[in-house]
Amino acid sequence: MAAPRTPFLLRRRFAIGYGALLLALFGASALDREGLRRWLELDREVKRVQQENRDLERDNARMRREVQALTGDPAALERAAREDLGYVRPGEIILKLDEGAAR
């Protein structure tokens, strides 16, 4: 006559079976192109786009400050004209050094 099964043995078998099923599902997901690999790929893409958005927000804030300065500060406007457009005052002498020659 077989010994009656105890609840402990039933729970242990259930836990082993459940673990094996989870392992099989995880393995199938990892091997499936639309499964875990796709999720990891999309997660990397999301992080890249979030970093790009942070960089763009920083650039936008810098440009807003520059526009504000250019519209209200004559010294900033003169500096921008000199640096960006190469404007000089009459009588000024500009010396341009080649950065590549110094190396």
Side-chain angles (χ1 to χ4, degrees):
M1 181 177 212
R5 295 186 182 194
T6 62
F8 173 75
L9 290 176
L10 290 176
R11 279 186 273 170
R12 184 174 175 192
R13 281 191 176 185
F14 176 76
I16 291 171
Y18 187 71
L21 177 64
L22 285 178
L23 187 60
L25 288 174
F26 182 75
S29 175
L31 296 174
D32 183 17
R33 178 72 182 121
E34 296 299 318
L36 182 64
R37 287 190 286 172
R38 178 72 174 148
W39 179 81
L40 291 172
E41 179 182 315
L42 291 174
D43 187 53
R44 282 191 300 269
E45 178 72 10
V46 165
K47 288 177 183 170
R48 185 191 63 77
V49 169
Q50 287 173 340
Q51 180 61 45
E52 186 177 327
N53 284 343
R54 284 191 294 271
D55 293 344
L56 289 172
E57 286 172 2
R58 217 175 5 260
D59 288 346
N60 284 341
R62 181 186 52 77
M63 288 180 186
R64 277 190 209 96
R65 286 190 304 272
E66 188 174 341
V67 165
Q68 205 169 29
L70 290 174
T71 56
D73 185 7
L77 187 59
E78 180 181 348
R79 179 187 45 78
R82 289 171 166 275
E83 290 176 3
D84 298 340
L85 302 175
Y87 284 13
V88 295
R89 289 184 177 158
E92 286 184 329
I93 298 174
I94 303 296
L95 300 175
K96 291 191 176 189
L97 304 175
D98 184 17
E99 292 180 15
R103 293 182 184 172

